[in-house]
């Protein structure tokens, strides 16, 4: 599924609970709702690179126990409050 978006809502991904890979790179996303990924517990890869994200909520990735790859490069991140210890096998790219 390919779509381009600027505004995300907490319920946007709820019907897609079987996703293992989410690529939201190269959009104009500025804000991430804290509960955006709550229904997507089996995600392995999340790519939110090349956006305009400035704040990552502390609960953003807490339910993703299978997350291995997180791409956040080329954003405007000033506050990154999520807890690394909850994410078990994480390879991340963050600049």
């Amino acid at each position: 599924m390919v779509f381009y978006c600027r505004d995300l809502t907490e319920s946007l991904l709820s019907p897609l609970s079987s996703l293992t890979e989410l690529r939201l790179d190269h959009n104009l996303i500025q804000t991430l709702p804290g509960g955006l990924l709550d229904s997507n517990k089996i995600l392995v890869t999340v790519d939110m690179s090349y956006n305009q994200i400035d704040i990552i909520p502390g609960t953003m990735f807490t339910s993703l126990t299978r997350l291995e790859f997180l791409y956040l490069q080329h954003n405007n991140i000033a506050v990154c409050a999520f807890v690394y210890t909850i994410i078990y096998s994480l390879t991340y790219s963050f600049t």
Side-chain angles (χ1 to χ4, degrees), residues 26-43:
H26 292 89
N27 285 283
L28 298 172
I29 300 168
Q30 295 177 327
T31 305
L32 296 173
L36 178 68
L37 304 175
D38 286 353
S39 299
N40 308 97
K41 300 183 186 320
I42 63 170
L43 280 169

Side-chain angles (χ1 to χ4, degrees), residues 28-77:
L28 298 172
I29 300 168
Q30 295 177 327
T31 305
L32 296 173
L36 178 68
L37 304 175
D38 286 353
S39 299
N40 308 97
K41 300 183 186 320
I42 63 170
L43 280 169
V44 174
T45 302
V46 174
D47 187 350
M48 295 183 181
S49 60
Y50 294 92
N51 282 290
Q52 298 172 359
I53 300 167
D54 54 1
I55 297 173
I56 299 178
T59 59
M60 188 73 205
F61 304 106
T62 56
S63 65
L64 305 181
T65 57
R66 296 185 184 182
L67 187 64
E68 293 182 24
F69 304 99
L70 175 61
Y71 301 99
L72 297 171
Q73 69 268 22
H74 300 285
N75 279 289
N76 301 319
I77 300 171

Side-chain angles (χ1 to χ4, degrees), residues 13-31:
L13 301 174
S14 295
L16 306 172
S17 61
S18 61
L19 283 179
T20 58
E21 187 172 313
L22 177 64
R23 298 200 178 272
L24 293 173
D25 55 300
H26 292 89
N27 285 283
L28 298 172
I29 300 168
Q30 295 177 327
T31 305

Side-chain angles (χ1 to χ4, degrees), residues 2-13:
V2 175
F3 63 95
Y4 296 99
C5 58
R6 172 179 233 154
D7 299 314
L8 302 175
T9 62
E10 285 194 16
S11 61
L12 178 69
L13 301 174

